[in-house]
Every structure is written in C-alpha cells, then in structure tokens.
C-alpha cells in the first residue's frame, strides 16, 4: 500500500468540509423554511391596494386581503409591524411569492380551540352573520358553524335581525373536523340560564301564595303567565268557577293578573296557576241557594247526547238528563228540545256537593199532560185526532199537548173483526173516538171508535131482561137461527129454539119468519141481546098455571090454555 501524499490528504480534507457544509446547510433550511400546509408567524411590512404584505421569514413574502383580518361586519385593524399568524398554502407561486391565508390560519387555530371546548363541554363565543336554509351561519372566531332554526331560542323566532352580528355564547352540539362541520345551539345556553333563573324564582315562592304576573301567551287550553323570569301555566279550568270556552274570554296578552300558585313541581320546575282560587267557591252555598224541589231560571251552556248543562249562577251548572227534558218527547236528541244560550226554567232534583253535581229537571216545571188530560177528559168524552201510527194491536191517535191515545182492535168496530176494521184506516187520517180510560201512572189513554155508535142504546131503550119482543129470522144454521131486532143481529142457539127437545130443530123455521122471543140478557159492551124461544114458552106456562090452575090437579097445559081461551070468548 502506497503512503498517502500531501496532495491526497488535502483533497480528502476538502471533500469532508463540503459534505459537512451541505449537511449544515440542509439542516438550516429544514429549520428556517416552513412546510406547506402549516400555520406560521409573519410580520406586516406594507399595506397597499387593500392587501397586507407579510414577511413569513427566509426571504418569503405573501399577500393577504385586509378583509381576512376583520370580524364579520367590522373593519380590519392592522398596521405595519404587526405580527400575525398565517396559513402557508405554497412556498412560491408564479410571481415568486408565498401563497398565504389569514382565514385558514384563524380556522386552524379556531378548530384547535373549539375541539378542546367541545371535549370540555364549555361554551364558545361567536356571532351570527348569515342566513342559510334551515338556520343561520355563526363565526366562532375563524371557524364557521351552523345554527339550526330550532336552536336559536326557546320559542320560535320570527325576526332574527336583532341577533345578527352580536357576540354571544353558544354550545357546540357536534363537530367533524375532517368534514369541516360544526353545529351549535343558542337555545341550550338560554335554557340553562332560564333553569337557573327558574330555580331562583321557585325558591322564593310557595304553593298557595298569591302573586302578580303578566300574560305572555294564550293557547286553546290556557295562558302562560310570566312571574318575573319564570312562566307558569294558568289552565282554562282554573280561570273561573264558571265554564270558560276559550282563555281569551278572561285574559289578554300583556295584561297583569293576580294568580295563586296552585302547584310547584320541584323536579320539572313547572308551575300551575289559578285565578278562581282567589274567589269564593259558589259551591259552598249551593244547597242553601238551590234547595231540592225549587224552580230557577238558568241558561243552557252545553248540549250533549245525554242531556243539557244549565248554568244556575256563575260557577254552578247542573245537568238536565234527556229523560227529564220532556213528558212526551222520549227518544229525541236534547238539541231538538233546547238550544245553547236559551233561558229555561228548571227544578232542582238532586245535589251532590262532594262531586259538585246538580241534577235538574225541565219537564217538572210543567204539569204532567196525562194528569191534565184526565181532569179535562173524563170517561165518555169525545175526542178527535190524527192517526199517528198503526200497529198490529190498534191505532195511535194524536191528542192535545203531544200525547197519544190508543184504540185497541176490539174497540174499532161493532160489526167487523178488529183485524178487518183496522184496514180501513191510514196514517194521517182524522178520526173521532171516545175516551174510555186514562192511566196517569202508565201514561196510557184508551179510546174507542165503536163507542161513538150509540144506536144500540136507542134500540134497546125500554127493552130489559124478561121483555117479549118479535124478531125476524134472517138465517138458518145447524147450531141455531140468526134473527134481527130493529136492525141488530142476534143468534138463538138450538137449545133455546123450543121447550120440547123434538122441536129444537132450526129447519122448522124459514128466513123471514116472525117469532116472539124472550130477552134473557142485555149487554151494552158487546151490543148483544140474549134471546130465547124456550124461555118465552116456559114463562108463558108459568103465568098460565098461576092464573088458571095448578099442575097438581092433573090438568094439562092444553086444558088450561083451552079454558083460558073459552073464557076470553065469553
């Protein structure tokens, strides 16, 4: 191996120093030259044409629009010499300048800060600066977040103008740095604040206490009253003792009202209020003011399928059940009898103070029409009415005061069977009848059409049981003969045709024969005369024996009658 010469050693030393220098240079470049995509510090060296020229070191300069240094709605406050942080997009562009951004620097710094706040569940400050579909945009010090419309306030906000540009706290609901999404809520801050305020107010009030409040909102079911930072619900049923159809009848928005704290829910912090509790309860004097059986005038407030509610005084209502509304209208809707707001007279039937119920009667203030009819229409009174209904057992006749009377099948005609006679009538026919019976308890009126025909009375006037009358044979039948007396039909049975059994033959008579018969019965109800030839013969024999002799002497009826006839000839 050759020994190293002085020239060789000099060359090796030179190479070593160059390598060390290059390494030191690269190390220096690595330290001083920032990497693209990072946040670097720079100094403002000039401001011109709406832009700030910033030296970011290592002889690199870049330009940033002044608006990137201003908050939404504000002007930029930046001067030459200020030190700022910017985001280095590219080391050099076509003009040999660094591409930098103040917005991106603020955004990166903001995301770091916001992620920490989100993890610690801390509030962040921001300002609403724009409106987008479904909500608003919020500047959180460099990062833009979405504020849903439902998260603006505890109640729907119609005009968000006063909130725009105002710095205020927000709560981060969720965030995704990779996608650049942040969702915030202003409502959560307000609810938390209200909860604290509500807890403080609730600690100062107690149930039963009377306080003043301002009506903030009215709904169908009540009104919300502000008690000084906390709302209470005044339900419609607690506004007055009387029936209230809508809260607006009692209160109006902005009105100051005195209310009583009815109930406080310590867990939910909900407060129930009442106004009627500060007034005297009318039910305390109901029994004294409305004794049983007394009649009062009231106003119909509500109508249902089962009756009508009548207000006796403010706060006191009673129910007139449908069964107590009319004597005659049994199966009709209460709305067909009374109408809402109508003034009516009612009778107090029952009071249940514990259940706050009063039973009333409408029909009791009027006389029972059946009682009135019974007084004015004794049995035998003629009436006239329209045939309302025809059934298998008779006719229903409409009478005065909306009551009906019934004519049974058996009371329609003397001459026809009821089933046949009823065929002569139709609904709507006007008919005359006679009252035969009125049963007030059962609400029944019995009528008779055939009772109008009093020809039987005229015919039998003077005819009584035992009378001898002459009849005309009108028909011959196996069981006897049909006869007629003054236009009235009667039937003489075979056994009554003769005293002698051998003569009890219907065929010994002919139609048109005149026969003397004895009246055995007069029945006005059936309009029938009971007649008998046999009874006449027996009566004649008895009379003859009494006048001319006794059967004990051995004389026959023929002998006696013969002697009587001879005596008449002399």
């Amino acid at each position: 191996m050759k020994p190293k010469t002085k020239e060789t050693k000099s060359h090796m030393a030179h190479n070593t120093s160059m390598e060390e220098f290059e390494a030191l240079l690269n190390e220096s470049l690595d330290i001083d030259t920032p990497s693209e995509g990072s946040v670097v510090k720079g100094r403002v060296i000039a401001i011109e044409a709406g832009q700030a020229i910033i030296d970011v070191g290592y002889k690199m300069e870049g330009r940033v629009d002044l608006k990137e240094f201003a908050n939404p709605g504000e002007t930029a406050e930046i001067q030459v010499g200020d030190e700022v942080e910017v985001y280095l997009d590219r080391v050099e562009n076509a003009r040999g300048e660094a591409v930098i951004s103040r917005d991106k620097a603020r955004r990166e710094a903001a995301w770091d800060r916001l992620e920490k706040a989100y993890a610690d569940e801390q509030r962040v400050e921001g300002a609403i600066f724009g409106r987008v579909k479904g909500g608003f945009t919020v500047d959180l010090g460099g990062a833009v977040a979405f504020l849903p419309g439902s998260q603006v306030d505890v109640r729907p906000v119609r005009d968000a103008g006063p909130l725009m540009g105002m710095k205020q706290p927000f709560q981060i609901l969720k965030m995704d740095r990779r996608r650049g999404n942040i969702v915030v809520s202003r409502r959560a801050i307000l609810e938390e604040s209200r909860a604290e305020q509500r807890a403080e107010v609730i600690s100062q009030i107690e149930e039963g206490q009377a306080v003043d409040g301002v009506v903030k909102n009215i709904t169908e079911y009540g009104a919300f009253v502000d008690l000084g930072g906390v709302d209470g619900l005044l339900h419609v049923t607690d506004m007055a003792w009387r029936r209230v159809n809508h809260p607006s009848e009692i209160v109006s928005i902005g009105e100051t009202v005195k209310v009583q704290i009815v109930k406080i829910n310590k867990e939910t912090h909900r407060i129930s209020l009442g106004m009627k509790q500060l007034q005297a309860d009318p039910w305390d004097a109901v029994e004294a003011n409305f004794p049983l059986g007394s009649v009062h005038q009231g106003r119909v407030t509500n109508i249902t399928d089962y009756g009508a509610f009548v207000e006796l005084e403010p706060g006191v209502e009673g129910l007139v059940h449908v069964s107590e509304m009319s004597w005659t209208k049994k199966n009709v809707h209460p709305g067909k009898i009374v109408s809402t707001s109508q003034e009516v007279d009612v009778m107090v039937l029952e009071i249940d103070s514990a259940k706050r119920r009063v039973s009333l009667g409408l029909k009791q203030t009027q006389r029972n029409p059946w009682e009135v009819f019974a007084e004015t229409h004794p049995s035998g009174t003629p009436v006239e009415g329209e045939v309302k209904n025809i059934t298998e057992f008779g006719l229903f006749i409409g009478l005065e005061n909306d009551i009906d009377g019934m004519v049974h099948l058996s009371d329609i005609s003397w001459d026809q069977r009821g089933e046949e006679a009823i065929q002569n009538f139709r609904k709507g026919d006007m008919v005359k009848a006679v009252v035969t019976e009125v049963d007030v308890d059962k609400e029944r009126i019995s009528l008779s059409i055939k009772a109008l025909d009093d020809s039987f009375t005229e015919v039998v006037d003077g005819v009584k049981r035992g009378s001898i009358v002459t009849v005309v044979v009108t028909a011959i039948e196996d069981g006897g003969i049909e006869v007629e007396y003054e236009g009235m039909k009667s039937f003489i049975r075979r056994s009554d045709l003769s005293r002698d059994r051998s003569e009890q033959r219907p065929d010994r008579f002919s139609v048109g024969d005149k026969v003397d018969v004895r009246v055995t019965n007069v029945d006005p109800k059936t309009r029938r005369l009971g007649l008998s030839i046999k009874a006449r013969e027996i009566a004649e024999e008895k009379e003859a024996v009494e006048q001319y002799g006794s059967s004990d002497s051995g004389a026959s009826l023929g002998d006696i009658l013969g002697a009587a006839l001879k005596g008449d000839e002399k």
Side-chain angles (χ1 to χ4, degrees):
M1 184 176 180
K2 291 182 180 181
K4 294 181 180 178
T5 63
K6 184 176 181 181
E7 184 179 345
T8 302
K9 290 180 179 179
S10 174
H11 178 72
M12 292 180 62
H14 175 71
N15 288 342
T16 301
S17 61
M18 288 296 293
E19 291 174 359
E20 291 176 351
F21 175 76
E22 187 176 352
L24 290 171
L25 179 61
N26 290 336
E27 184 179 350
S28 174
L29 289 174
D30 289 341
I31 294 173
D32 296 335
T33 305
S35 60
E36 294 181 348
S38 64
V39 176
V40 298
K41 287 186 177 182
R43 186 175 301 278
V44 179
I45 59 175
I47 296 177
E48 59 183 34
Q51 292 181 322
I53 301 173
I54 300 172
D55 179 8
V56 294
Y58 200 64
K59 297 184 179 181
M60 288 191 299
E61 296 177 358
R63 296 173 180 267
V64 178
D65 290 340
L66 291 180
K67 65 180 180 179
E68 292 191 25
F69 292 92
N71 292 322
E74 300 177 2
T75 58
E77 295 182 0
I78 188 170
Q79 297 176 353
V80 175
D82 288 351
E83 189 177 84
V84 295
E85 287 185 341
V86 293
Y87 183 85
L88 181 62
D89 262 343
R90 258 191 346 269
V91 171
E92 187 176 5
N93 61 10
R95 289 166 31 183
E97 295 179 338
V99 180
I100 58 177
S101 169
R102 171 62 178 169
D103 280 345
K104 289 184 178 181
R106 292 175 67 240
R107 188 177 305 122
E108 289 297 316
W111 271 96
D112 291 340
R113 174 173 51 83
L114 294 175
E115 283 183 333
K116 185 176 186 306
Y118 180 56
D120 296 339
E121 297 183 356
Q122 294 179 345
R123 300 177 181 181
V124 294
E125 191 175 70
I128 302 174
F129 68 90
R131 184 186 293 273
V132 295
K133 183 178 180 181
F136 303 88
T137 52
V138 179
D139 177 24
L140 299 178
V144 177
F146 173 62
L147 173 63
S150 61
Q151 295 296 323
V152 177
D153 206 329
V154 291
R155 290 193 178 91
V157 176
R158 295 183 179 179
D159 182 16
L163 300 176
M164 303 292 283
M166 181 176 67
K167 287 190 175 182
Q168 53 193 315
F170 293 89
Q171 187 75 40
I172 300 176
L173 300 182
K174 64 179 180 179
M175 62 188 302
D176 186 340
R177 188 162 188 167
R178 185 173 60 84
R179 295 184 178 181
N181 293 335
I182 305 176
V183 180
V184 295
S185 171
R186 177 175 176 269
R187 174 178 177 173
I189 303 295
L190 296 177
E191 286 180 342
E192 185 178 341
S193 175
R194 284 169 60 88
E196 294 173 357
Q197 188 177 24
R198 182 182 290 266
E200 182 179 353
V201 173
I202 288 177
S203 67
Q204 299 174 0
I205 60 176
E206 58 184 17
E207 293 181 2
Q209 181 181 352
V211 296
D212 290 329
V214 178
V215 178
K216 291 183 62 177
N217 190 27
I218 295 177
T219 67
E220 292 290 330
Y221 53 85
F224 288 94
V225 180
D226 184 1
L227 303 178
V230 60
D231 290 351
L233 174 61
L234 175 61
H235 198 271
V236 65
T237 57
D238 286 314
M239 289 184 169
W241 290 108
R242 67 176 179 84
R243 182 189 295 271
V244 179
N245 294 319
H246 194 275
S248 58
E249 297 176 11
I250 306 295
V251 297
S252 57
I253 294 178
E255 179 185 359
T256 299
V257 294
K258 184 172 286 294
V259 292
Q260 184 181 84
I261 309 297
V262 176
K263 187 177 180 181
I264 301 174
N265 189 318
K266 299 294 183 181
E267 296 180 359
T268 61
H269 288 179
R270 290 182 178 176
I271 303 173
S272 298
L273 306 174
M275 290 178 66
K276 72 180 184 182
Q277 287 79 359
L278 298 175
Q279 306 165 2
D281 187 351
W283 277 89
D284 293 341
V286 165
E287 293 186 12
N289 295 338
F290 304 99
L292 298 180
S294 59
V295 177
H296 305 270
Q297 188 177 68
R299 181 177 62 88
V300 178
T301 58
N302 192 26
I303 297 175
T304 67
D305 291 337
Y306 53 85
F309 287 92
V310 176
E311 183 182 62
L312 299 176
E313 67 176 19
V316 178
E317 283 186 348
L319 172 65
V320 181
H321 193 268
V322 64
S323 62
E324 306 294 348
M325 302 197 82
S326 173
W327 289 107
T328 56
K329 298 174 182 177
K330 304 292 186 181
N331 298 312
V332 298
H333 191 275
K336 297 292 182 67
I337 301 175
V338 295
S339 57
T340 304
S341 299
Q342 179 182 347
E343 297 287 338
V344 294
D345 289 331
V346 289
M347 178 181 287
V348 179
L349 305 180
E350 184 181 353
I351 297 176
D352 188 335
S353 297
K355 295 182 179 179
R356 304 171 79 89
R357 293 178 181 173
V358 178
S359 296
L360 303 173
L362 187 64
K363 70 181 184 182
Q364 287 80 358
T365 61
Q366 306 164 357
R367 286 202 64 191
N368 185 332
W370 280 274
E371 288 182 357
V372 176
F373 190 89
E375 293 174 3
T376 57
H377 296 77
S379 181
T381 304
V383 293
E384 183 176 8
E386 179 183 340
V387 177
K388 296 290 187 181
N389 196 17
I390 300 176
T391 69
E392 59 184 9
F393 48 83
L395 305 172
F396 283 91
I397 311 298
L399 304 174
E400 58 192 48
N401 295 324
D402 291 327
I403 59 177
D404 292 344
M406 191 190 78
V407 181
H408 193 270
L409 287 177
S410 60
D411 287 312
I412 296 178
S413 173
W414 291 109
D415 303 321
Q416 290 180 290
R417 291 170 56 248
E419 292 78 1
E420 297 174 355
I422 200 171
Q423 301 298 323
N424 299 322
F425 297 89
R426 298 290 181 272
K427 288 180 67 173
D429 289 352
M430 294 299 295
V431 298
K432 294 180 179 180
V434 172
V435 177
T436 58
E437 184 183 5
V438 179
D439 190 328
V440 175
D441 294 334
K442 294 182 179 180
E443 298 181 348
R444 291 178 183 173
I445 298 175
S446 298
L447 305 175
S448 174
I449 294 177
K450 71 180 186 182
L452 289 170
D453 183 5
D454 57 357
S455 58
F456 177 79
T457 304
E458 296 175 358
V459 169
V460 300
D461 186 27
V463 176
K464 57 185 179 180
R465 187 175 180 181
S467 299
I468 304 298
V469 296
T470 301
V471 298
V472 178
V473 178
T474 55
I476 310 297
E477 299 181 10
D478 291 340
I481 61 173
E482 184 185 69
V483 297
E484 183 180 289
Y485 174 70
E486 298 294 337
M488 288 188 304
K489 301 284 187 180
S490 291
F491 190 78
I492 303 176
R493 294 175 300 173
R494 176 190 284 267
S495 60
D496 284 316
L497 291 179
S498 177
R499 181 171 178 269
D500 295 334
R501 293 181 63 86
S502 60
E503 295 298 318
Q504 293 176 350
R505 293 177 292 104
D507 57 5
R508 72 185 181 91
F509 296 94
S510 300
V511 174
D513 289 352
K514 293 183 177 180
V515 182
D516 289 340
V517 296
R518 183 183 174 92
V519 178
T520 58
N521 186 33
V522 179
D523 189 349
K525 289 186 177 181
T526 60
R527 285 175 44 113
R528 294 287 181 181
L529 286 177
L531 304 177
S532 174
I533 298 174
K534 175 181 177 180
R536 188 209 74 201
E537 291 175 347
I538 292 174
E540 287 178 350
E541 179 181 355
K542 182 178 180 182
E543 183 181 354
V545 169
E546 289 176 352
Q547 291 185 12
Y548 299 102
S550 171
S551 59
D552 294 339
S553 64
S556 66
L557 178 60
D559 295 336
I560 295 172
L561 291 178
L565 289 173
K566 289 180 181 179
D568 290 339
E569 290 175 359
K570 292 180 179 180

